[in-house]
């Protein structure tokens, strides 16, 4: 009895954390979060496939497709992005087709292919992070607000 309420509480806590992250995120960070979500969904699909959980595999693949189509692909601005946006659009279309085929054929190799493509795109996207985000994601110092020095300051 306690286990199920604890799980619900943990899930609610995680959901609030995700929602807070989305609200506070820049457009650039939102794209990174979409890549992460699709990668996790494909990893889950792969795990479900290896466990023989076919319905769950299909749900995870559907989630990955929704993220690619309704998040990543829908966010492309072909007028501004030009050839790069067109190429990404084609790549996202290819990924969706591969995921559909992987689902139909229970093919883990295709899942890995799409996951690796997403990981490469995510790494490239992170490499072009705006300078303001790079500063925001730098490690924070442990500071005591009442002290003029950081809490981890050691006098020589």
């Amino acid at each position: 009895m306690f286990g199920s309420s604890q799980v619900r509480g943990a899930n609610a806590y995680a959901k609030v954390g995700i929602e807070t992250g989305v609200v506070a995120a820049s457009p650039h960070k939102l794209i990174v979060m979409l890549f992460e979500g699709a990668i996790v969904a494909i990893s889950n699909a792969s795990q479900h496939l290896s466990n023989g959980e076919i319905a769950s595999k299909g749900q995870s693949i559907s989630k990955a497709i929704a993220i690619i189509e309704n998040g990543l692909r829908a966010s492309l601005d072909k007028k501004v992005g030009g050839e790069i946006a067109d190429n990404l659009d084609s790549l996202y279309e290819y990924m969706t087709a591969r995921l559909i085929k992987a689902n139909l054929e229970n093919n883990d190799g295709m899942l890995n292919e799409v996951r690796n493509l997403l990981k490469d795109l995510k790494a490239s996207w992170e490499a072009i992070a705006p300078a303001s985000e790079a500063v925001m994601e730098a490690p924070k110092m442990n500071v005591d607000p009442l002290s003029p020095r950081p809490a981890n300051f050691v006098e020589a």
Side-chain angles (χ1 to χ4, degrees):
M1 173 154 35
F2 291 112
S4 67
S5 66
Q6 287 175 335
V7 169
R8 281 194 304 269
N11 288 339
Y13 182 78
K15 184 177 179 185
V16 168
I18 290 169
E19 289 172 359
T20 302
V22 168
V23 169
S26 69
H28 187 270
K29 181 64 178 169
L30 288 173
I31 298 297
V32 170
M33 292 172 77
L34 289 170
F35 282 126
E36 290 170 350
I39 291 165
V40 167
I42 293 169
S43 295
N44 289 341
S46 184
Q47 186 64 44
H48 292 309
L49 178 60
S50 69
N51 292 340
E53 301 163 346
I54 301 306
S56 296
K57 173 217 54 161
Q59 290 171 342
S60 292
I61 290 175
S62 293
K63 182 176 182 177
I65 290 171
I67 292 169
I68 292 168
E69 290 294 317
N70 301 326
L72 295 169
R73 195 168 181 200
S75 70
L76 294 173
D77 186 343
K78 293 183 184 176
K79 291 178 185 172
V80 175
E83 185 179 351
I84 292 174
D86 288 337
N87 290 341
L88 282 171
D89 184 58
S90 295
L91 184 57
Y92 293 147
E93 182 177 17
Y94 171 79
M95 288 181 194
T96 297
R98 294 298 278 180
L99 288 173
I100 292 169
K101 190 169 183 174
N103 192 28
L104 292 172
E105 297 178 5
N106 291 321
N107 188 318
D108 197 43
M110 290 180 199
L111 294 175
N112 287 326
E113 175 191 4
V114 175
R115 182 176 39 229
N116 288 333
L117 288 169
L118 288 166
K119 284 180 179 180
D120 289 345
L121 286 172
K122 178 181 175 271
S124 297
W125 191 254
E126 288 173 327
I128 61 167
S132 61
E133 266 186 42
V135 170
M136 288 174 31
E137 292 186 13
K140 307 282 190 279
M141 292 186 80
N142 183 16
V143 179
D144 177 357
L146 301 177
S147 170
R149 296 187 193 125
N152 55 355
F153 180 80
V154 177
E155 285 192 52

